[in-house]
Amino acid sequence: MSISNDKWLWWKDGVIYQIYPRSFYDSNGDGIGDIRGIIEKIDYLEYLGIDAVWLSPINRSPMDDFGYDIKDYRRIESIFGTEADFDELIKKFHDKNIKIIFDLVMNHTSSSHLWFVESRSSKTNPKRDWYIWQKARRGKYPNNWRAAFGGRAWEYDKITGEYYLHSFLKQQPDINWRNKELRDAVFEDIKFWLDRGIDGFRLDVVNWFIKDEKLRNNPYMIGYSPRVYDMQNHIYDRNRPETHDVLKDFRKLLDNYSERMSVGEVFSPPPGDPRLSSEFLGNGKDQLDMAFDFSLMYVKWNAKTFYKKISNWLELIPSGGWPCHVLSNHDQPRQASRFYKKNYTDERCRILAVLLLTLKGTPFIYYGEEIGMRDGKISRSKLRDPLGKKYWPFFKGRDPERTPMQWKNADNAGFTCGVPWLPVNRDYWKRNIDKQIHEKNSLLNLYKYLIELRRKEYNLRRGEIVFLEKGDSGVLSYMRGDEFEIALNFDNGVKQYFPRSHDSEIVFSTEMFSKVTESKILQPYEAVIIRHNQQRNS
Ligand code: GLC
Ligand code: CA
């Protein structure tokens, strides 16, 4: 049964780090992070030990949605740098064996993309059908669809007197994946990046690509919020079965290259929809390599809930498929803020680090997570996110989780020598990378240690996962392969814990506790990794 010969595969065995380029490091003082900034911080990424970076979009964009509105899929946005900067980034990262993942925003383009400019110019333009155009129905909107970012999903365009569909902002018209020429054009753009050396793609809102052919009205339902958008059951504007055909073609394209990876953002409103996410893995080989399940972004701090969400997600992965895990990203409050608990937030962050890096599945780390960055407090006048501007004060938008990386205790946390595009979180003087590099027991060095251990230990990467304690007592524990036993005390109380083997040793503990014998005491919020000795030699 030993599969220990499985070859290292970067996106299965490695750790992936998400960079939000605007906020990582600014090399030229304009207050906006850039490609040269990322290059300058390569030593840090190497120190941390990650294997790949996923860059939120850096293509040409008017920035209505900060890059998630692309104007030219083949060019680099000048705010972020030049084409040469980007080629240098690929070269330098590849030299250090760090892979580069691009964000593919393919549900929509920017309204300033030339395709759209042509498409809107006349009803007979050859690219007319590359977007979704409709005439008014009985003098009104074509149907009842709403935009996720507020208002109707249909925007009236004077030039031709028709409406176009936009699932997000009106500056983000949805492209028509049912049109073969459009599909070919998008695939050509993807090929362009594959040929230029991109190792993988994160597919933005992959479950939204195809819309109902008849554009039927969504039925209404009781939603999780009083917003009309959330009171519709989105069976016609999302999750259409035809999307899977697109992904099968996409997969064939990727499979022409060696070791290229895809991960899908399957976005549905809280609390995450793991079953839906797993559908995008197809039979485990014919669609996406991985898909995000956002369940853990919406749960309360509770060992049992974590157990349920994680085990459910893992069970849904088709055989031959591979899971991944994510705790934070550029759209959701940071984990340190979500799981905030006075005096114990750092302990909780440690538990999360051990969990993320010992689960079966590829870990995704969001920049700043490794130093426990909190959401920033942004005053109304400093808001940048269009969503925050629209829904303030009910929803403050996504700026809080996008504040600049906290490099050191210096002006603007060492992120820029200019004025940062978003204010730096005020806690930077006590929470920053420079400080944590020098503290042996910092959260940062915990991430570093765990990433290293994971790299060394086959069973922490590929070993099967079997749950032991399922959270009833506040403890979550599991085996990885027959070698590692991981126990996490989610509680603020002391717990007795019986390792499943008498002959075992503690490899690691957040408390650096004594040797395990028959039973052990787990301190409040302690996480331990135990190694079973006898199996090791068998
Ligand atoms: C995805 C992105 C988000 C963006 C949206 C529209 O959810 O993660 O940042 O605003 O798609 O492209
Ligand atoms: Ca800059």
Side-chain angles (χ1 to χ4, degrees):
M1 73 143 241
S2 166
I3 43 163
S4 52
N5 297 329
D6 272 358
K7 215 175 96 218
W8 172 278
L9 182 56
W10 70 271
W11 59 265
K12 273 190 182 174
D13 294 290
V15 172
I16 299 176
Y17 186 81
Q18 182 190 356
I19 289 181
Y20 193 71
R22 290 183 79 84
S23 298
F24 198 60
Y25 185 61
D26 173 24
S27 71
N28 63 355
D30 66 357
I32 299 174
D34 43 50
I35 295 169
R36 296 222 69 80
I38 300 172
I39 297 175
E40 280 180 39
K41 293 298 183 185
I42 193 170
D43 291 347
Y44 168 67
L45 296 169
E46 211 185 6
Y47 174 83
L48 185 58
I50 50 101
D51 299 271
V53 290
W54 147 29
L55 306 175
S56 279
I58 54 171
N59 303 98
R60 282 196 71 192
S61 164
M63 298 288 159
D64 289 303
D65 190 19
F66 294 101
Y68 285 91
D69 49 322
I70 294 177
K71 178 179 167 157
D72 185 341
Y73 287 92
R74 299 198 185 198
R75 297 270 79 90
I76 299 294
E77 166 57 41
S78 54
I79 291 179
F80 294 124
T82 63
E83 302 295 326
D85 291 337
F86 185 69
D87 287 330
E88 186 179 329
L89 177 94
I90 299 194
K91 167 105 186 40
K92 293 219 161 114
F93 275 58
H94 282 174
D95 283 350
K96 301 229 182 226
N97 213 7
I98 300 177
K99 308 285 185 186
I100 308 234
I101 299 166
F102 243 36
D103 215 312
L104 273 186
V105 187
M106 306 194 295
N107 174 69
H108 45 267
T109 66
S110 158
S111 51
S112 51
H113 194 298
L114 281 181
W115 295 346
F116 189 69
V117 174
E118 281 191 45
S119 180
R120 83 193 311 181
S121 67
S122 88
K123 286 188 195 171
T124 52
N125 185 280
K127 295 203 172 61
R128 181 64 168 183
D129 188 46
W130 286 28
Y131 292 81
I132 300 168
W133 290 97
Q134 283 291 301
K135 46 181 187 300
R137 283 197 190 164
R138 288 184 226 101
K140 292 208 186 107
Y141 294 101
N143 66 16
N144 74 351
W145 295 358
R146 301 276 166 160
F149 287 178
R152 293 278 179 167
W154 297 98
E155 181 70 12
Y156 181 75
D157 200 44
K158 280 206 291 275
I159 305 175
T160 53
E162 287 191 341
Y163 291 87
Y164 66 85
L165 181 74
H166 62 92
S167 296
F168 296 90
L169 299 173
K170 66 172 193 263
Q171 296 90 337
Q172 295 169 300
D174 287 37
I175 54 177
N176 181 14
W177 276 98
R178 292 180 185 273
N179 180 298
K180 169 92 173 57
E181 275 173 40
L182 170 280
R183 207 187 270 212
D184 291 346
V186 174
F187 276 41
E188 282 304 310
D189 285 346
I190 297 171
K191 255 179 81 187
F192 172 86
W193 288 108
L194 287 164
D195 294 335
R196 202 159 157 187
I198 291 295
D199 302 286
F201 299 103
R202 174 258 188 196
L203 281 72
D204 193 57
V205 287
V206 65
N207 55 320
W208 300 45
F209 286 7
I210 294 210
K211 317 298 182 289
D212 179 45
E213 200 159 16
K214 299 193 191 120
L215 303 173
R216 280 170 282 190
N217 283 328
N218 281 324
Y220 288 95
M221 60 170 203
I222 299 182
Y224 75 97
S225 96
R227 227 169 49 122
V228 184
Y229 184 85
D230 300 319
M231 295 190 338
Q232 287 190 359
N233 189 3
H234 293 271
I235 53 175
Y236 293 126
D237 55 353
R238 303 200 301 238
N239 312 337
R240 300 306 302 163
E242 298 93 325
T243 314
H244 299 290
D245 301 329
V246 175
L247 294 178
K248 284 180 190 160
D249 289 347
F250 172 72
R251 176 60 175 262
K252 283 185 200 135
L253 172 65
L254 247 58
D255 284 349
N256 290 331
Y257 296 76
S258 99
E259 295 196 358
R260 307 299 169 98
M261 169 281 248
S262 60
V263 56
E265 180 208 23
V266 180
F267 187 75
S268 59
D273 193 341
R275 181 169 298 280
L276 181 71
S277 294
S278 70
E279 286 170 13
F280 290 84
L281 305 177
N283 67 12
K285 293 184 186 68
D286 64 344
Q287 294 188 41
L288 298 179
D289 288 312
M290 298 186 285
F292 291 127
D293 166 36
F294 293 138
S295 300
L296 292 181
M297 300 225 184
Y298 301 104
V299 295
K300 290 221 160 56
W301 185 261
N302 177 299
K304 206 167 168 170
T305 318
F306 269 67
Y307 160 71
K308 282 194 189 142
K309 297 290 180 191
I310 296 166
S311 58
N312 184 29
W313 172 227
L314 291 172
E315 276 161 25
L316 286 165
I317 304 296
S319 70
W322 185 251
C324 65
H325 304 280
V326 58
L327 297 169
S328 286
N329 66 26
H330 64 292
D331 291 327
Q332 302 295 337
R334 285 181 175 272
Q335 65 212 49
S337 295
R338 293 198 319 267
F339 297 118
Y340 175 83
K341 170 96 179 159
K342 199 163 187 261
N343 299 330
Y344 294 106
T345 309
D346 291 337
E347 278 72 8
R348 289 182 169 192
C349 287
R350 285 168 184 272
I351 298 270
L352 292 173
V354 178
L355 177 76
L356 183 72
L357 291 158
T358 58
L359 280 177
K360 180 182 176 192
T362 303
F364 279 76
I365 298 173
Y366 182 52
Y367 85 94
E369 172 180 332
E370 72 276 26
I371 53 169
M373 266 175 71
R374 305 333 194 215
D375 287 345
K377 286 194 184 56
I378 319 279
S379 62
R380 189 174 186 170
S381 64
K382 297 256 164 72
L383 285 184
R384 303 298 300 265
D385 180 20
L387 264 186
K389 289 182 180 172
K390 183 155 203 152
Y391 290 111
W392 177 279
F394 305 104
F395 173 57
K396 294 181 178 152
R398 299 164 296 178
D399 294 322
E401 58 265 23
R402 296 175 179 178
T403 60
M405 181 63 137
Q406 295 163 210
W407 292 104
K408 56 185 177 191
N409 183 11
D411 285 351
N412 299 316
F415 161 71
T416 178
C417 56
V419 181
W421 78 286
L422 271 180
V424 169
N425 191 322
R426 267 173 305 182
D427 70 357
Y428 72 85
W429 61 274
K430 62 173 176 190
R431 195 181 321 284
N432 62 62
I433 285 166
D434 182 53
K435 183 161 184 272
Q436 293 204 16
I437 282 181
H438 293 103
E439 285 167 7
K440 199 166 154 275
N441 292 323
S442 64
L443 185 63
L444 171 60
N445 281 325
L446 173 62
Y447 271 86
K448 178 181 164 58
Y449 168 81
L450 291 166
I451 292 171
E452 223 167 87
L453 185 68
R454 189 181 173 95
R455 181 183 315 281
K456 267 203 318 250
E457 299 294 350
Y458 179 85
N459 272 324
L460 285 180
R461 289 181 276 112
R462 300 279 188 117
E464 274 317 312
I465 186 163
V466 177
F467 289 93
L468 306 167
E469 297 285 330
K470 301 180 177 170
D472 295 297
S473 61
V475 173
L476 173 64
S477 71
Y478 44 91
M479 290 296 301
R480 290 302 312 282
D482 44 21
E483 189 176 2
F484 291 102
E485 178 171 351
I486 293 110
L488 311 168
N489 182 3
F490 275 62
D491 269 8
N492 186 16
V494 170
K495 299 281 153 73
Q496 195 170 38
Y497 186 79
F498 298 91
R500 298 321 195 254
S501 159
H502 298 306
D503 181 14
S504 57
E505 58 174 348
I506 292 197
V507 178
F508 165 81
S509 157
T510 47
E511 297 284 328
M512 284 308 160
F513 209 69
S514 60
K515 192 167 163 51
V516 185
T517 47
E518 281 175 32
S519 85
K520 152 173 209 329
I521 299 296
L522 284 173
Q523 296 298 319
Y525 290 114
E526 183 177 4
V528 290
I529 302 177
I530 298 161
R531 191 199 302 263
H532 292 195
N533 283 323
Q534 63 273 45
Q535 275 86 1
R536 236 180 125 190
N537 307 321
S538 65

